[in-house]
Amino acid sequence: MTTPRIVVVGGGAGGLELATRLGRKLGKSQRADIVLVDRNPTHIWKPLLHEIATGTLDSGLDEVSYQGHSKSHGYRFQRGTLSAIDRDNRTLTLEPIHDQDGAVVLPARELEYDYLVLSVGSVSNDFGTPGVARHCHFIDSPQQAESFRRNMLNTFLRYSDPERRTHPKLTVGLVGAGATGVELAAELFGASRMLHSYGFTALDSGKLEVHLIEAAPRILPALPERISRAVHGELERLGVKIHVDTRVTEANANGFITADGEPLETDLSVWAAGIRAPEFLSQLGLATERNHQIKVHETLQSLDDERIFAFGDCASCPQPDDKRVPPRAQAAHQQATHCYHNLRAAMDGKPLKPFVYRDRGSLISLAHFEAVGSLMRGASARSLFIEGRLAKLFYASLYRMHQMAIHGIFKTAMTVIVDGLNRYIRPKMKLH
């Protein structure tokens, strides 16, 4: 009897947690061959990207090497980008890997699988808005976050010379007042204060102007209104200029054009409005939604193939209330656990269970200034509103829970200690 192979494509929060658990439970005992595939060599928790974008978090300290992590946790890592699936022969094709000069490092490869799991996450949706792809920064990956950070530092340097200033204040336009846009807006004010304190720029936060633009009637439209109101007030106290019921119709080199024809000139433009699954998912021969999410049963199995699973932001999973599982980090965390149990059941010939999403609440961190959120009270779904230090503590615990899932309790505890020491040893932001 051959050892079954489970291939997990996508090493985001859910994918890495699943591969880690499969490796610990099945890979180390050689009951299954577990392979994780990702286009990047390292993992970073996606909710941290807005901190990487402003330099308040050094990605080099928090990123996890898939190759090193795999050795300790019983799975194998293959770097590559999925390009095709042959369901008849149960193989998948990975695109060639090129170096920075375009030379082929590894040619296209094929991997066999017995079970395939797709957890490739999501990307920002520009809705076809003219000019956005060319003129706006996106914060979907560590590379994009680093690109924004470098541009931000250069813009602050440029504004240190009064003769090179484009506007009276350094102006940033953020389109999309979901969690990413809101948290990035607050982080920018924290970053400007730190840059000024380190002598990097003559500008303080009073010379920074941040515009947060949202097409919906309020910011954080997917979260409870009480959280939206509290965050709105805190952002305005920081100095963020909030534009709701405002739709952007065009982006250009000077900023944005809104639906009423009014221009908004910016030095830095960021697009964080809406998400969709990666487009290539609609080219794999699997049923997908218009936003390229793979259609799955309640068991997380693809409608087209019971040996292909999908979860997280890239999957459209129905729920008992006829809604779909929301694209949230806590949903991916819950689905990773559920997918593990269903994979075990499928291998053992047992019936698979439907996934039911349970909302544990929502938390928004506004840099070091404030945190706001709600926690769900058990099955009653009554929410407990929290803010201040307690909310900051719960927000930080979300990342620690992810670390425990991929590292275990002991290593996470050591990481907490090291992180505490780094706050005294290293600068509070990445300045280079």
Side-chain angles (χ1 to χ4, degrees):
M1 182 177 178
T2 59
T3 304
R5 176 180 290 173
I6 302 173
V7 178
V8 180
V9 179
L16 183 56
E17 288 182 15
L18 175 61
T20 301
R21 190 164 189 175
L22 288 168
R24 289 173 181 166
K25 301 293 185 179
L26 301 177
K28 285 188 174 183
S29 60
Q30 298 184 347
R31 287 182 286 171
D33 178 23
I34 313 300
V35 182
L36 175 65
V37 175
D38 197 277
R39 67 178 62 188
N40 297 309
T42 59
H43 161 84
I44 195 78
W45 197 48
K46 193 170 183 178
L48 296 177
L49 290 180
H50 67 281
E51 296 183 38
I52 295 173
T54 55
T56 53
L57 178 74
D58 188 341
S59 60
L61 298 177
D62 279 75
E63 63 187 358
V64 178
S65 166
Y66 291 121
Q67 206 75 60
H69 188 267
S70 65
K71 184 179 184 299
S72 303
H73 296 279
Y75 67 90
R76 296 189 294 120
F77 173 64
Q78 287 279 327
R79 186 178 176 188
T81 300
L82 175 66
S83 62
I85 298 174
D86 182 344
R87 291 193 283 123
D88 293 331
N89 295 308
R90 292 183 195 159
T91 62
L92 57 90
T93 302
L94 301 180
E95 293 179 1
I97 296 178
H98 301 84
D99 63 17
Q100 62 271 20
D101 299 318
V104 175
V105 177
L106 279 177
R109 293 149 289 151
E110 284 192 350
L111 279 177
E112 296 180 350
Y113 69 86
D114 293 285
Y115 296 95
L116 175 63
V117 183
L118 300 174
S119 57
V120 295
S122 60
V123 296
S124 294
N125 190 353
D126 64 9
F127 305 103
T129 307
V132 170
R134 180 179 180 184
H135 297 290
C136 293
H137 286 276
F138 297 88
I139 314 293
D140 295 325
S141 68
Q143 293 83 3
Q144 291 177 342
E146 281 288 341
S147 174
F148 174 83
R149 186 186 66 82
R150 290 191 296 269
N151 200 349
M152 180 193 74
L153 292 178
N154 288 336
T155 304
F156 269 99
L157 279 177
R158 175 164 58 87
Y159 262 72
S160 293
D161 181 357
E163 295 184 0
R164 302 200 64 205
R165 296 177 184 178
T166 308
H167 308 107
K169 293 184 178 182
L170 193 160
T171 307
V172 183
L174 305 174
V175 179
T180 298
V182 163
E183 293 180 333
L184 181 58
E187 286 287 349
L188 285 167
F189 280 91
S192 68
R193 291 183 182 184
M194 281 187 274
L195 288 171
H196 180 68
S197 70
Y198 283 118
F200 185 92
T201 176
L203 299 181
D204 58 18
S205 57
K207 293 294 184 179
L208 174 68
E209 187 167 282
V210 176
H211 293 266
L212 184 61
I213 308 166
E214 172 57 51
R218 61 182 176 89
I219 66 171
L220 300 171
L223 300 187
E225 188 171 354
R226 185 177 182 184
I227 296 178
S228 175
R229 288 198 307 269
V231 172
H232 189 120
E234 187 62 32
L235 288 177
E236 287 191 328
R237 281 191 288 275
L238 288 177
V240 178
K241 298 183 181 299
I242 300 174
H243 310 261
V244 295
D245 280 321
T246 303
R247 186 170 60 89
V248 170
T249 57
E250 181 186 343
N252 55 43
N254 297 318
F256 299 107
I257 304 295
T258 61
D260 59 9
E262 289 295 321
L264 175 61
E265 294 189 355
T266 64
D267 297 290
L268 291 168
S269 300
V270 180
W271 188 273
I275 62 170
R276 61 172 176 80
E279 190 172 346
F280 80 91
L281 293 176
S282 294
Q283 303 167 1
L284 299 177
L286 300 172
T288 57
E289 304 282 4
R290 290 182 61 184
N291 66 353
H292 309 299
Q293 284 183 316
I294 296 171
K295 295 181 180 180
V296 298
H297 295 290
E298 295 91 337
T299 57
L300 305 181
Q301 294 168 294
S302 163
L303 299 186
D304 306 284
D305 193 323
E306 65 179 10
R307 287 180 174 265
I308 297 179
F309 293 72
F311 73 92
D313 292 1
C314 73
S316 175
C317 180
Q319 291 293 276
D321 58 3
D322 292 330
K323 293 182 179 180
R324 294 293 186 267
V325 175
R328 302 181 64 184
Q330 61 174 302
H333 174 76
Q334 294 175 31
Q335 287 181 316
T337 300
H338 194 86
C339 191
Y340 165 78
H341 290 296
N342 273 358
L343 282 167
R344 293 291 302 268
M347 293 171 63
D348 296 337
K350 297 179 180 179
L352 279 62
K353 295 181 180 180
F355 172 76
V356 178
Y357 170 65
R358 306 198 184 282
D359 190 348
R360 306 300 186 191
S362 305
L363 292 165
I364 297 294
S365 175
L366 304 177
H368 63 275
F369 303 105
E370 182 64 282
V372 178
S374 63
L375 302 178
M376 306 305 287
R377 288 177 167 175
S380 67
R382 294 176 57 191
S383 63
L384 173 66
F385 183 80
I386 58 174
E387 57 184 336
R389 291 185 177 181
L390 181 61
K392 293 289 285 186
L393 177 63
F394 275 102
Y395 186 88
S397 72
L398 298 177
Y399 183 38
R400 299 307 181 190
M401 288 172 60
H402 172 63
Q403 289 180 312
M404 284 192 287
I406 64 174
H407 293 311
I409 295 175
F410 179 76
K411 187 171 181 179
T412 299
M414 295 296 101
T415 301
V416 172
I417 295 173
V418 172
D419 288 347
L421 293 173
N422 278 331
R423 280 198 290 269
Y424 293 97
I425 297 172
R426 295 176 177 270
K428 292 183 178 180
M429 72 178 301
K430 188 176 181 180
L431 300 167
H432 58 280

